[in-house]
Structures are given as C-alpha cells and as structure tokens.
Amino acid sequence: SRPKLPGIPGINEFKGHTFHTSRWDYAYTGGDSYGNLTGLKDKRVGIIGTGATAIQCIPHLGEWAKELYVFQRTPSSVDVRNNAETDPQWAASLEPGWQQRRMENFNIMVSGGDQDEDLVHDGWTDIFRNLTGIAAKRASRTLGRQLTGAERAHLMEMSDYQKMNQVRARAKALVEDPETAESLKPWYRQFCKRPCFHDEYLATYNRPDVTLVDTQGKGVERLTETGVVANGQAYEVDCLIFATGFEVGTAYTRRAGYDIVGRDGVTLSEHWANGTRTLHGLSSHHFPNCFFLGFTQTAITVNVPHALNEQAKHVVYILDEMRAHGAATVEASEAAEQAYVDEVRQFANVGARFYAECTPGYYNSEGRPGNRSGFFSDMHGAGPIRFFEMLEEWRDAGTLQGLNLG
C-alpha cells in the first residue's frame, strides 16, 4: 500500500524533522518497535492522526518525548485489549490443526455466525456477539419467534449504542481531565471506523507532557516552518510524525506503485479503469499467470492473514492443475470475468446507507459514496464464509470453470 500524506497547506514549509509512521525513523527516535525512544527525550513532538497506528505509537511517544502534541480530527473507538503473556502450558496443550480451527471459529463469529465456543474471545468477538446474528438469535428465543427485519435493525442499533456507550464511559473513567476525556469519546456507530483495542492509550493523556489538540473534525489548518497551526493556535515542534495511514480510494496501480502490461499490450490500469475486473478476485482476462492477493473483489475479513491463506490455497490449486495439464499459461476467460463482476456488483450497495451516515474515514472513502476504488467497493457482499465456501466448491468441481489453459 502507498503511504498517505495529508493535503495540508504548508506541508513543504516545515523545517523540522518529519516521517510517516510506516517509515519510522529509528535513527532519529532511537529504540525499536518495543519503545525505548531515547532520541526524543529533548524533543517536542507532534503527531497528526489518531487511527489504529497512532493508537499503538502514542503511548511510546508520550513516555519518551519531552513534549507530545496529538492532533486529532476524529477520536478512535478504543476498548480494552487485556494484553497478556501466553501461558506456555496452554500453548503446549494445543493439538495439531489448532490454528485453522481458531481462524475458522473467529471468522464465523465476526461474520455474525454462532459457535458453541468462542476460541479467541477478544474484543472483536465481543462486539459481534452483541451486534450481529447471535444477539438476534437470543432475542428470537426470548420472543419465541423470528425477528422482523425492522426488529433486527432496531436491536442492532440499540446494541451498537450500548457498546459505544461502554467505550465512551471508559474514556471518562481513565482520562483525568474532563475536557480531554470528552474529546476522546467517539460519537459514531461502532463500524463507522476500525475499532481499536489498547490498554495504555487513553491513560497516556494523563501525562503532564502530553497535550491532545482536538480539531473537532476539521483537521489542522496548516504547517509553518516551525510547527502546526490548529484551532487558530500555533504549536512549535521539533519533529512531526504523520500517522495518516495509507491511500484508500485511489487506483490499484497507483497504490501498488506499478502498472502491469498484459496480453496484446493491455495495461491493468486500462482494464480496470471503470472498476476492478476479476474472476474470484484473483485473476483477470488479458493477464495470464498473474494473480492478485488481497482485497480485490474478494470478501472483507477482520483477520486478513486468514483471507490471504484461503486465496493462496486457491492459487496453489490452480498452479498444480495447470502443471498436471501440461499447460504454460492460465487466464480468466472474458465471459467468466464478466459473470463474476456482475455477481459482485449485485451486492454493491450492501451497507451503503450505513456508511453514508458515518463520519469521514477510509471505510466510506472520506465521505465519497460510489467510489469504485473505495475500501468496500466491488467486494463480494455475501461475506467471507460464503466466499471461502465458493472457492472450495469451485476446486471440488475439478473443471477449472472460467479459466483458459494455454
């Protein structure tokens, strides 16, 4: 992915030290990914952004910097992580195949399914137990009948409100200054933004050398040679860190940093000019022996390595079959690609109303609905469980339907 820098006026005028969190400059800060940032002991540090990456690094910056200014547009939802050491005896007791069982159990639960046991039992599964199908099943058992669509929607909204109230109450309980605590409360629905979990983040704002600069959704105004201007006030800093994430909503080839030239000179940017075009999110017509892994017309999953593992298994199967047939190339047919694109776009508006009502972020392309390159755009709306089943059924058929061997 391509790191994203904010389009802030004056971004090239700042004369101090800068870096993006994905390109962390340990030569300047000292330390490593575990902290010990001794190079910041005499530095005034500013960080722009309070998303998932910032949540992880701000406690370390707060501990080591002489002064830390956190510039916030929108607060993240930060719940309990309960991080702890893994019990070695418990780890030794696990039977072969435990990783796959945990991945599948987790994926079912965070997709709204039900399981006899929650093998992971973390913040993610807690959210989904309360917000999705599991809660609806409990309500149905209580009522003795299935819930109507309107009842399910109302239940989810009320469950969402209760959960977010817990998150807001946590900010109030852990942050000593009432004004700062209020600024750290997320006033949006749970999945408008990526939920975060951290045990030290909120308490960092109790340090006397840490200042939250809440811009109330506006973002910082501009940069100067010596620092940052926000809410009409200038903050001088020696180092400015951009915790501004990665590009979402731009063309795949831009984010990848290269274009691909396929059969007959067709480039991927031309072929995908009006949106991603694949078979099963993995291969495209005109591009033999080329496979795409990631979120390209596949299904969004909370556990990304699980999704990549399922995709990798599918690609390995195709390659094995290609060799078994003595073929040199494999390519999605034009008809199969079009059929899959049509299938994906049947679900194109799933969740559109929900995200349209959210605060701007990468989940809704910064408030730009309908963006074909958006994070949730052109994904298989049936969800990861059905998507993984679909791939397995395709492999079990053994016909390589939709692929041309050459």
Side-chain angles (χ1 to χ4, degrees):
S1 295
R2 186 186 185 104
K4 180 180 71 175
L5 291 174
I8 301 173
I11 193 169
N12 294 320
E13 296 178 13
F14 180 64
K15 301 299 184 184
H17 195 80
T18 64
F19 58 86
H20 190 276
T21 48
S22 67
R23 305 291 187 268
W24 196 275
D25 189 352
Y26 288 110
Y28 182 85
T29 66
D32 53 28
S33 60
Y34 292 96
N36 199 34
L37 308 179
T38 56
L40 301 179
K41 287 191 295 185
D42 61 344
K43 300 294 191 297
R44 300 165 300 174
V45 178
I47 182 167
I48 296 177
T50 53
T53 300
I55 298 301
Q56 299 171 70
C57 65
I58 283 172
H60 296 292
L61 293 171
E63 179 181 0
W64 290 98
K66 177 184 176 182
E67 292 181 73
L68 176 64
Y69 296 100
V70 179
F71 297 95
Q72 172 182 275
R73 182 181 70 171
T74 310
S76 282
S77 166
V78 186
D79 207 347
V80 178
R81 185 181 178 190
N82 277 335
N83 200 22
E85 296 289 336
T86 298
D87 181 355
Q89 291 185 334
W90 172 81
S93 72
L94 296 171
E95 298 179 356
W98 66 268
Q99 298 100 326
Q100 187 67 33
R101 286 193 296 274
R102 280 172 65 88
M103 285 195 300
E104 291 175 352
N105 176 271
F106 179 82
N107 188 48
I108 290 170
M109 295 203 68
V110 299
S111 299
D114 204 355
Q115 291 281 277
D116 293 335
E117 183 181 5
D118 181 353
L119 296 177
V120 176
H121 201 75
D122 68 351
W124 282 101
T125 57
D126 175 69
I127 291 171
F128 280 89
R129 279 197 307 270
N130 289 304
L131 295 188
T132 58
I134 300 171
K137 288 178 182 177
R138 290 173 183 161
S140 293
R141 286 195 290 266
T142 301
L143 293 173
R145 60 171 175 80
Q146 288 188 339
L147 299 182
T148 66
E151 287 172 335
R152 286 177 64 90
H154 179 72
L155 174 65
M156 287 188 66
E157 187 169 359
M158 291 299 100
S159 299
D160 186 304
Y161 184 77
Q162 290 173 350
K163 182 60 183 176
M164 292 302 284
N165 255 355
Q166 291 176 12
V167 172
R168 290 187 284 266
R170 183 169 182 259
K172 180 180 179 180
L174 295 181
V175 180
E176 296 168 359
D177 177 63
E179 185 177 348
T180 302
E182 192 63 34
S183 293
L184 289 166
K185 294 179 181 179
W187 289 98
Y188 46 79
R189 291 186 65 173
Q190 181 76 68
F191 290 105
C192 280
K193 294 184 181 295
R194 177 179 173 180
C196 297
F197 308 90
H198 206 285
D199 297 329
E200 291 84 35
Y201 173 74
L202 292 171
T204 299
Y205 292 99
N206 295 330
R207 303 180 70 96
D209 47 6
V210 176
T211 301
L212 175 67
V213 182
D214 181 20
T215 67
Q216 300 181 352
K218 298 176 182 177
V220 304
E221 296 170 26
R222 65 183 186 278
L223 302 187
T224 66
E225 289 187 0
T226 58
V228 181
V229 177
N231 302 333
Q233 182 175 343
Y235 298 85
E236 292 193 354
V237 296
D238 303 301
C239 173
L240 187 56
I241 301 171
F242 295 106
T244 46
F246 298 88
E247 285 194 8
V248 176
T250 56
Y252 176 90
T253 50
R254 173 181 166 82
R255 285 179 278 125
Y258 55 83
D259 208 343
I260 301 174
V261 181
R263 195 185 299 280
D264 301 322
V266 176
T267 64
L268 189 65
S269 58
E270 293 170 338
H271 190 55
W272 289 6
N274 295 314
T276 310
R277 301 186 60 81
T278 69
L279 172 62
H280 299 153
L282 297 170
S283 57
S284 282
H285 185 57
H286 294 302
F287 297 89
N289 296 354
C290 180
F291 297 96
F292 308 97
L293 299 185
F295 292 150
T296 47
Q297 290 191 323
T298 53
I300 293 289
T301 55
V302 173
N303 183 7
V304 176
H306 185 192
L308 295 175
N309 184 55
E310 294 294 329
Q311 294 168 30
K313 287 194 298 186
H314 198 71
V315 171
V316 168
Y317 171 83
I318 293 172
L319 294 177
D320 285 345
E321 289 297 301
M322 186 179 78
R323 294 190 183 100
H325 286 79
T329 62
V330 60
E331 177 184 354
S333 72
E334 185 175 11
E337 178 188 83
Q338 184 60 55
Y340 185 72
V341 169
D342 292 343
E343 179 180 335
V344 166
R345 292 184 178 169
Q346 284 180 356
F347 303 99
N349 292 321
V350 172
R353 180 178 176 182
F354 176 88
Y355 290 108
E357 296 174 351
C358 289
T359 55
Y362 72 86
Y363 275 14
N364 64 2
S365 296
E366 297 294 342
R368 293 181 292 125
N371 180 4
R372 282 281 187 205
S373 299
F375 185 72
F376 288 117
S377 300
D378 278 349
M379 292 297 174
H380 200 284
I385 297 174
R386 179 59 198 136
F387 179 75
F388 297 159
E389 289 175 347
M390 181 181 68
L391 295 184
E392 185 175 10
E393 291 166 1
W394 185 92
R395 295 192 298 269
D396 289 344
T399 62
L400 299 180
Q401 183 178 356
L403 293 180
N404 293 330
L405 301 180

